[in-house]
Amino acid sequence: MTPLQDVEAVTTPEIPQEEYGNSEMNALNDFPDEVEMSLFDHLEELRQRIFYSLIAVVVGMVGCFLAVKPIVKLLEVPAQGVKFLQLAPGEYFFVSIKVAGYSGLVLSSPFILYQILQFILPGLTRRERRFIGPIVSGSTVLFFAGLVFAYLLLIPAALNFFISYGEDVVDQLWSIDKYFEFVLLLLFSTGLAFQIPIIQLLLANLGIVSSTKMISGWRFVIMGAVVLGAVLTPSTDPLTQSLLAGAVLGLYFGGIGLVKLTGK
């Protein structure tokens, strides 16, 4: 061995492959935005973000209240051939407030999610950040997909059932308050039901339930979907409950497919 080779052997020691793997694992477990804060600082930040979120909700509600008539007309579209009545003084006014409240909450939800993420991100590792992004995006998309599904399929199916069932016996004169209570509850319950795949992904990545266990409990899932369809739908007609139960089952088994893709 030449003197130059001796120097290279001393100055460039070989690093085991395991050390590269450990350094990569340590990088994934780092807290990139970690800041030392006291408990009072955390509480103050939480207070500020809640305050900002409330301002966003109020602004959204006020904006929706100013444009509530088009929103009301849009929600009345599925009830074709029905005449709405105001059965008490101020009933339409309180319906407008209710519709503006729900609509404003939906419009401000992205900003609320942003505030939540800004609060929890400093406490998340790089690995957890890779996971939280798709979860939040998927949850938002599924919620709005649930709203669209309810508006285009569930609500028309339920209303057609009620209209056709009694059209030869009673005139279709409905209380506007009861109608919007029915529509808004069905919209938001369906949006929440569409969060099932997100819950499955969370449980699987936390190591609580695997995809194999999810599949093995399919009998209980079918029973639970039927019960969930009956509980979440404000009507008692079997068609609406069956549509929602079928959607829940489709989401559940689709969630199992997503969990399998993650290797859990």
Side-chain angles (χ1 to χ4, degrees), residues 101-167:
Y102 279 99
S103 304
L105 188 60
V106 171
L107 288 180
S108 60
S109 58
F111 183 79
I112 296 173
L113 282 175
Y114 171 79
Q115 293 297 322
I116 294 173
L117 288 177
Q118 288 299 308
F119 181 73
I120 66 174
L121 275 180
L124 298 180
T125 63
R126 297 182 189 274
R127 183 193 304 277
E128 291 168 339
R129 291 186 179 203
R130 291 181 180 181
F131 180 67
I132 199 70
I135 289 293
V136 172
S137 301
S139 176
T140 304
V141 170
L142 284 174
F143 180 78
F144 283 98
L147 297 182
V148 173
F149 177 80
Y151 182 80
L152 296 179
L153 292 178
L154 286 184
I155 294 175
L159 296 181
N160 288 334
F161 173 83
F162 291 130
I163 292 173
S164 61
Y165 181 79
E167 62 182 352

Side-chain angles (χ1 to χ4, degrees), residues 69-78 151 179:
K69 288 186 178 180
I71 301 175
V72 168
K73 291 180 179 180
L74 180 65
L75 295 176
E76 287 179 348
V77 169
Y151 182 80
Y179 171 76

Side-chain angles (χ1 to χ4, degrees), residues 7-16 19-20:
V7 173
E8 290 179 351
V10 173
T11 58
T12 57
E14 183 179 355
I15 301 176
E19 293 187 14
Y20 286 108

Side-chain angles (χ1 to χ4, degrees), residues 207-239:
I208 298 175
V209 181
S210 65
S211 58
T212 304
K213 289 184 178 180
M214 293 180 188
I215 296 175
S216 63
W218 63 270
R219 296 179 180 84
F220 300 101
V221 172
I222 293 177
M223 182 182 299
V226 174
V227 173
L228 193 64
V231 171
L232 292 182
T233 52
S235 63
T236 56
D237 66 289
L239 180 59

